[in-house]
Amino acid sequence: MQVSSLNEVKIYSLSAGRSLPEWLSDRKKRALQKKNVDVRRRIELIQDFDMPTVSTKIKVSRDGQYIMAAGTYKPRIRCFDTYQLSLKFERCLDSEVVTFDILSDDYSKIVFLQCDRYVEFHSQHGRYYRTRIPKFGRDFSYHYPSCDLYFVGASSEVYRLNLEQGRYLNSLQTDASENNVCDINPIHCLFATGTAEGKVECWDPRTRNRVGVLDCALSSVTADTEIDGLPSISALKFNGALNMAVGTSTGQVLLYDLRSSNPLIVKDHQYGLPIKSIQFQDPLDLIISADSRIIKMWNKDTGKIFTSMEPEHDINDVCLYPNSGMLLTANEDPKMNIYYIPVLGPAPRWCSFLDNLTEELEENPESTVYDDYKFVTRKDLENLGLAHLIGSPLLRAYMHGFFMDIRLYHKVKMMVNPFAYEEYRKEKIRQKIEETRAQRVQLKKLPKVNKELALKLIEEEEEQQPTRKKKQKNLPNILTDDRFKVMFENPDFQVDEKSEEFRLLNPLVSKISEKRKKKLKILEQQEAQEQEEEEEPEGKPSDAESSETSDDEKGWVEEVRKQRKLLRQEEKVKRQERFKEDQQTTLKPQFFEIKTGEEFRSFKDSVKKQKLMKKTLGDRLKLEEKLGTLSVSDTTVGSKQMTFKLKKSGQQKKQQEAEKQHHQERKNIRRSASHLKSKRGRRGPF
């Protein structure tokens, strides 16, 4: 996989690398993959994604599952299944395919326009029907509402073939001598054809009348462009309801708004080659235009170049995989190229692993090495006396330094530093001293953190080496294992030997630790002696190995008792210190403010609660029954049911009393009013 970058846009070529011939057996292919590094490192996204000689056209089905490609020789069509990442089927044809289109969502309905004036209709099983058009065809488009196929070619007429009725309809008569390309707008179904005279004629399929003509040849000629002949239309593509892009045979791309006869922008490829394909990338407002040499991506509003690609072989067709950053090309080469540009969009669902792969490559970029140049910093230039060359062609600025010619660097270094031979001689002597030092007894280099634990692990490994059998595999060592590396580097992982847990769990560690501390001191002394003897060619081997053996005279229980006694004494000392601190500190009274709506409760309530919590569940239930907050009743099944009532605060009680008083006053008013009415009824009207 090759990675290129232009304008800080990464482009991954997934088809780069050597391709294996088809006639090789699987066994030979596997052998080549083992031997050859280039073959082993290549990425074969889709198996056998190529043609025997040349690929001419490539398209993707609307459901995104199938990739169709036409090529030679012999003339054939290949369908690749992206879900299986392999070839679905291959069909050979009688003549070469000029262009083709997929009418259905999958590969079940395909139309091929061939170079011998034949039009073939294929279904899932193969060729379904074959007919002929009057003139040699160059392009066609399908009108979905009326099921009409519009064919343009070496004629002034646009032939219409109705697939519902199965017959030709009246053709459209244009003013051109020949028509090269055509397209139908997917929204309002406007039909447009590009002529050999450099004009675009637009027709309404409903009335079969011409509604407008654009003179693109005149608009493509600007002050900066040099044109040898009359530009003809070689590519045509609609985008949305109003935008249309037109490609000319002289290498210009014109973007039109259908409401205006003047182009919004004119983009020149600068190669003078016919535009082969135009694609729109709506999320980033880009236009992807391609001639036989280069693929350019540029902004449709400003015309600024986004990025570009130049394949090794000539390009015949370009297809953008929908809703992704993948680009497929048909070339003058057996291999069809696949490009992945993460900026344009994510990888398709069937190759989602590309996103993870490209992210890993971006996280670990490979450093570029230049053999003929030397990278020097500003400080190096000052040491060499070349600071005055900054800004000259001899130095090329790069990152935090400069690149300079390696020959110039060596010459200047020889002039500035004539004692280079002396430095070389000293370096050789130092290397010889290190070689002789390696023959001496190797000292144990202990880490900075957990030195005693490291020494313990080294001793255990030395004890196991003579008892270990030859056939047994070497067990992993914690000191050399990267998973436990932090334990001997980070001081947060230092073992606290003074903690209570460590002393109780390891009662015999005190004696062993003392012996290890002696060894540590001996090792430190040896390292200090070695540092002093660095300048000497030879050194004396150290024989300060302690030959003491660990004799555990006392048992485990006695050691545990001693540790517990020590811990108790330490606790007593700590208590006495706390008691002295408490006596010295004078407590000041604190005052608390009671919130509004709350009653003051004495501190006896807390004592009552503590006594209540000490009682059993039965006693607490009886107490709750007496207070009325609990009611116990028997159910029909034979079990008992308990209902609890929450205690109400003083504020809630006041609110309830106020509500009761209010209701009582309302009742009294109603009674007095009804009493007055009854009296008036007895006396009669006034």
Side-chain angles (χ1 to χ4, degrees):
M1 183 173 66
Q2 290 181 351
V3 184
S4 59
S5 178
L6 181 67
N7 292 342
E8 297 182 357
V9 178
K10 291 287 184 67
I11 302 169
Y12 297 89
S13 179
L14 305 178
S15 55
R18 296 183 181 180
S19 56
L20 300 176
E22 294 181 356
W23 43 266
L24 278 181
S25 63
D26 294 339
R27 187 176 180 180
K28 288 185 177 179
K29 285 181 180 179
R30 288 195 296 270
L32 270 175
Q33 286 178 355
K34 289 179 180 178
K35 293 178 182 178
N36 199 328
V37 179
D38 295 335
V39 175
R40 189 166 62 248
R41 286 182 178 177
R42 71 192 178 114
I43 294 177
E44 195 174 12
L45 195 63
I46 299 174
Q47 189 178 4
D48 299 329
F49 192 68
D50 52 14
M51 282 287 170
T53 309
V54 171
S55 54
T56 56
K57 288 286 178 180
I58 186 166
K59 290 183 185 292
V60 180
S61 61
R62 283 202 294 271
D63 60 1
Q65 185 177 354
Y66 303 101
I67 299 173
M68 306 283 293
T72 57
Y73 182 80
K74 300 177 180 179
R76 67 190 66 205
I77 185 79
R78 283 185 173 180
C79 177
F80 299 93
D81 190 349
T82 57
Y83 290 178
Q84 303 297 326
L85 299 178
S86 60
L87 182 67
K88 178 76 174 176
F89 63 84
E90 179 185 19
R91 295 173 188 168
C92 290
L93 307 171
D94 295 337
S95 57
E96 293 182 10
V97 175
V98 177
T99 184
F100 70 94
D101 197 7
I102 305 169
L103 303 184
S104 60
D105 291 340
D106 53 2
Y107 67 93
S108 58
K109 294 178 183 178
I110 315 169
V111 183
F112 297 100
L113 176 62
Q114 298 176 349
C115 63
D116 57 353
R117 294 193 291 134
Y118 273 101
V119 179
E120 284 192 5
F121 299 89
H122 283 233
S123 62
Q124 289 177 336
H125 62 82
R127 189 169 74 183
Y128 178 75
Y129 187 71
R130 194 177 188 221
T131 186
R132 209 170 189 184
I133 56 176
K135 298 286 183 179
F136 289 98
R138 294 176 182 173
D139 198 7
F140 71 90
S141 293
Y142 182 61
H143 186 247
Y144 281 91
S146 61
C147 299
D148 288 345
L149 278 172
Y150 289 78
F151 294 95
V152 297
S155 172
S156 61
E157 293 181 330
V158 179
Y159 304 108
R160 295 193 302 143
L161 176 61
N162 188 272
L163 301 184
E164 185 180 9
Q165 301 175 19
R167 66 186 181 91
Y168 283 99
L169 303 178
N170 294 331
S171 58
L172 305 177
Q173 184 65 43
T174 64
D175 295 338
S177 60
E178 293 179 351
N179 294 293
N180 296 331
V181 289
C182 65
D183 194 20
I184 293 176
N185 193 292
I187 296 175
H188 48 67
C189 297
L190 182 70
F191 173 74
T193 175
T195 66
E197 287 80 11
K199 295 182 180 180
V200 175
E201 296 188 10
C202 298
W203 294 73
D204 189 353
R206 298 170 297 181
T207 59
R208 297 185 298 279
N209 293 326
R210 186 170 57 199
V211 294
V213 179
L214 290 173
D215 192 353
C216 300
L218 185 63
S219 301
S220 65
V221 179
T222 59
D224 301 332
T225 56
E226 294 181 2
I227 297 172
D228 297 334
L230 181 67
S232 61
I233 308 301
S234 60
L236 188 66
K237 187 71 175 177
F238 279 104
N239 180 38
L242 299 174
N243 291 333
M244 179 180 66
V246 180
T248 64
S249 59
T250 53
Q252 288 86 28
V253 181
L254 296 87
L255 182 64
Y256 280 94
D257 190 322
L258 295 180
R259 296 169 292 185
S260 174
S261 59
N262 296 321
L264 299 174
I265 193 169
V266 179
K267 186 68 179 176
D268 195 351
H269 270 224
Q270 305 291 338
Y271 282 104
L273 300 172
I275 302 298
K276 294 286 186 79
S277 172
I278 298 175
Q279 301 284 336
F280 285 89
Q281 212 275 343
D282 292 328
L284 296 178
D285 293 334
L286 298 177
I287 294 177
I288 304 170
S289 55
D291 56 23
S292 58
R293 187 176 294 181
I294 191 170
I295 302 171
K296 286 192 175 184
M297 301 181 192
W298 45 280
N299 191 285
K300 67 179 182 180
D301 297 326
T302 61
K304 186 179 178 182
I305 284 289
F306 182 72
T307 188
S308 62
M309 293 175 285
E310 292 189 47
E312 295 180 4
H313 305 279
D314 290 347
I315 302 165
N316 289 327
D317 193 19
V318 176
C319 176
L320 181 65
Y321 196 92
N323 303 321
S324 74
M326 183 171 285
L327 206 67
L328 311 170
T329 63
N331 319 294
E332 291 287 327
D333 188 61
K335 187 182 292 184
M336 293 179 284
N337 291 336
I338 304 174
Y339 297 97
Y340 176 52
I341 308 168
V343 181
L344 297 183
R349 186 176 59 181
W350 49 273
C351 58
S352 58
F353 61 89
L354 287 176
D355 289 328
N356 300 330
L357 187 63
T358 53
E359 284 176 6
E360 289 177 4
L361 289 174
E362 288 177 1
E363 287 175 1
N364 303 318
E366 294 183 358
S367 58
T368 309
V369 179
Y370 300 96
D371 295 333
D372 299 332
Y373 290 89
K374 172 71 176 176
F375 181 78
V376 290
T377 61
R378 191 179 290 270
K379 190 176 180 180
D380 296 337
L381 289 174
E382 290 174 357
N383 294 334
L384 295 172
L386 299 177
H388 62 281
L389 294 179
I390 295 174
S392 65
L394 296 173
L395 295 178
R396 186 175 183 84
Y398 183 77
M399 293 178 67
H400 63 284
F402 305 90
F403 276 114
M404 67 182 299
D405 196 306
I406 192 71
R407 294 170 295 177
L408 176 63
Y409 175 78
H410 286 314
K411 284 181 182 179
V412 175
K413 195 173 181 183
M414 286 296 294
M415 293 170 65
V416 172
N417 191 7
F419 302 103
Y421 177 73
E422 292 294 331
E423 293 179 1
Y424 172 76
R425 183 171 170 277
K426 287 179 182 178
E427 183 68 21
K428 281 290 181 184
I429 292 169
R430 191 181 64 81
Q431 289 178 3
K432 287 287 184 183
I433 291 169
E434 287 180 357
E435 288 176 4
T436 55
R437 190 177 292 161
Q439 298 173 3
R440 293 182 292 173
V441 177
Q442 297 292 325
L443 297 176
K444 301 168 188 175
K445 292 186 179 179
L446 297 174
K448 295 179 181 178
V449 182
N450 289 327
K451 289 185 178 180
E452 295 185 7
L453 178 61
L455 188 61
K456 177 186 174 185
L457 294 170
I458 292 167
E459 288 176 357
E460 289 178 357
E461 190 177 3
E462 288 175 355
E463 289 174 0
Q464 290 176 2
Q465 278 180 357
T467 58
R468 192 180 294 160
K469 294 180 181 179
K470 292 182 180 179
K471 293 183 179 180
Q472 285 182 351
K473 293 182 179 179
N474 293 328
L475 297 173
N477 191 0
I478 295 176
L479 291 169
T480 57
D481 199 338
D482 292 337
R483 295 175 296 175
F484 304 98
K485 183 172 64 175
V486 186
M487 194 168 67
F488 300 101
E489 293 178 355
N490 194 344
D492 294 338
F493 291 92
Q494 179 68 43
V495 178
D496 188 8
E497 297 181 359
K498 295 181 180 179
S499 62
E500 183 179 349
E501 293 83 3
F502 182 84
R503 290 165 67 181
L504 289 175
L505 290 172
N506 302 281
L508 294 174
V509 84
S510 57
K511 284 191 173 183
I512 301 168
S513 62
E514 287 177 2
K515 294 171 184 176
R516 288 207 186 100
K517 283 175 182 176
K518 290 179 182 178
K519 282 190 178 182
L520 283 172
K521 286 180 181 178
I522 293 164
L523 289 172
E524 287 175 0
Q525 289 174 4
Q526 289 175 357
E527 287 178 2
Q529 288 176 5
E530 205 177 70
Q531 287 177 359
E532 292 174 358
E533 296 171 1
E534 272 185 354
E535 298 178 358
E536 297 177 6
E538 291 182 359
K540 298 178 182 179
S542 62
D543 56 350
E545 290 262 357
S546 62
S547 60
E548 296 179 2
T549 57
S550 60
D551 301 326
D552 298 330
E553 297 176 357
K554 295 184 180 180
W556 181 274
V557 181
E558 292 180 0
E559 290 293 334
V560 172
R561 285 175 183 171
K562 280 185 179 181
Q563 292 293 333
R564 282 181 179 171
K565 285 179 182 179
L566 290 171
L567 289 170
R568 285 171 190 167
Q569 289 175 2
E570 289 175 2
E571 284 179 3
K572 283 181 181 179
V573 172
K574 287 178 182 179
R575 284 175 193 168
Q576 289 174 1
E577 289 177 356
R578 287 174 192 166
F579 183 71
K580 287 178 181 178
E581 288 177 359
D582 292 339
Q583 284 182 344
Q584 290 175 1
T585 55
T586 55
L587 297 174
K588 296 180 181 180
Q590 294 182 355
F591 298 96
F592 298 94
E593 187 179 352
I594 299 171
K595 292 181 180 179
T596 56
E598 290 187 1
E599 294 180 357
F600 173 72
R601 294 180 181 178
S602 63
F603 297 105
K604 294 180 180 179
D605 293 344
S606 59
V607 179
K608 288 180 182 178
K609 284 182 182 178
Q610 289 178 0
K611 288 182 179 179
L612 186 63
M613 292 302 292
K614 289 180 181 179
K615 290 184 179 181
T616 59
L617 179 63
D619 296 338
R620 276 187 278 171
L621 292 175
K622 288 178 182 179
L623 185 61
E624 293 288 339
E625 276 186 273
K626 288 179 182 179
L627 295 173
T629 57
L630 172 68
S631 61
V632 182
S633 60
D634 296 329
T635 59
T636 55
V637 187
S639 59
K640 289 191 176 184
Q641 183 178 359
M642 291 187 293
T643 56
F644 294 88
K645 293 180 182 178
L646 295 174
K647 290 181 180 180
K648 296 176 182 178
S649 62
Q651 192 173 359
Q652 289 177 347
K653 288 178 181 179
K654 285 180 181 179
Q655 286 179 357
Q656 284 185 355
E657 288 176 1
E659 286 176 1
K660 285 181 182 179
Q661 190 175 359
H662 179 67
H663 286 303
Q664 192 65 33
E665 288 176 358
R666 292 285 295 269
K667 283 181 183 179
N668 294 335
I669 291 167
R670 286 173 187 166
R671 285 175 185 173
S672 60
S674 60
H675 186 63
L676 287 171
K677 283 181 183 179
S678 61
K679 282 184 178 181
R680 286 176 185 174
R682 290 173 188 172
R683 292 175 186 175
F686 291 103

